[in-house]
Amino acid sequence: MTAIRLQTPLESRELLELRAGDRVLLSGVVYTARDAAHQRMVEALDNQQPLPFDPIGQIIYYVGPTPGREGQAIGAAGPTTAGRMDSFAPRLIEVGLAGMIGKGTRSPRVVESMVEYGAVYFLAIGGAGALLGQTVRRAEIIAYPELGPEAVRLLVVEEMPLIVGIDAQGNDLYRLGPEEYLRSRRRDKSDA
């Protein structure tokens, strides 16, 4: 299967064409944020204050990258469990966030918001933080520097390898994958 090349910011048409299980190589700007930064961003929205970046067509990567060695933009950049952001994600999707990158399942409320607004959830491979960090060409803190590794960063990435975990139609690889596996096992047994 050939990987789909995507460039941020993402457009609705691109998002609607993606399917759970698609392999993606993502390039362009990606923003980082974890729990504390999400809480602050949602509070800003609730208080009618601007976000640190325009979310329309953009992606948030759930990561707290390590510092890079000399010549590196960052060090390891492995994904954080996405469920930790589930209470905040629908509000950000509502204001235009196109996608999220993380690991693990999402709540039904997040999936409903994704379907309603046409957003996508990408999976990054847990344990591959060093590899993912190598796709980052530039990194700069743009908000909440006092949060340290959890500050909001602007990353410029080149061909970051991802998998569509949940598409804009609500198809969930965490549900579809095991179902397909069980179907293939049944086929294998019937062929034996």
Side-chain angles (χ1 to χ4, degrees):
M1 176 200 291
T2 303
I4 298 165
R5 286 184 159 72
L6 293 176
Q7 177 79 35
T8 62
L10 300 178
E11 297 180 14
S12 297
R13 169 190 52 81
E14 293 174 301
L15 295 169
L16 293 173
E17 291 173 0
L18 295 172
R19 295 292 175 260
D22 284 349
R23 291 179 39 226
V24 169
L25 293 173
L26 181 69
S27 297
V29 172
V30 172
Y31 295 92
T32 70
R34 288 179 43 174
D35 321 42
H38 273 74
Q39 182 173 350
R40 288 193 186 182
M41 288 190 289
V42 169
E43 287 170 357
L45 289 171
D46 290 346
N47 292 313
Q48 293 157 342
Q49 297 171 345
L51 292 176
F53 62 92
D54 181 354
I56 296 175
Q58 299 300 338
I59 296 175
I60 292 179
Y61 184 14
Y62 303 144
V63 63
T66 64
R69 294 182 183 161
E70 189 170 328
Q72 293 179 309
I74 61 172
T80 289
T81 302
R84 294 170 41 191
M85 274 54 74
D86 279 2
S87 62
F88 308 112
R91 185 74 171 97
L92 295 169
I93 293 167
E94 177 185 309
V95 296
L97 187 67
M100 300 146 289
I101 303 169
K103 66 179 181 181
T105 60
R106 303 310 301 263
S107 72
R109 183 168 169 243
V110 172
V111 176
E112 288 166 13
S113 294
M114 291 171 57
V115 171
E116 182 176 354
Y117 295 100
V120 174
Y121 173 50
F122 298 100
L123 301 174
I125 304 301
L131 170 67
L132 293 165
Q134 291 174 13
T135 69
V136 178
R137 301 296 174 246
R138 184 167 63 96
E140 68 179 89
I141 294 174
I142 62 166
Y144 319 131
E146 65 279 5
L147 295 179
E150 294 196 34
V152 175
R153 286 174 172 75
L154 179 151
L155 303 182
V156 175
V157 301
E158 186 178 319
E159 296 198 340
M160 180 179 273
L162 304 169
I163 298 167
V164 177
I166 303 173
D167 61 34
Q169 290 75 38
N171 299 306
D172 185 341
L173 192 59
Y174 282 101
R175 184 178 48 78
L176 299 173
E179 289 173 2
E180 177 57 32
Y181 172 76
L182 291 173
R183 275 194 297 277
S184 71
R185 295 278 298 175
R186 285 192 286 272
R187 280 194 304 268
D188 290 348
K189 286 181 181 179
S190 68
D191 291 343

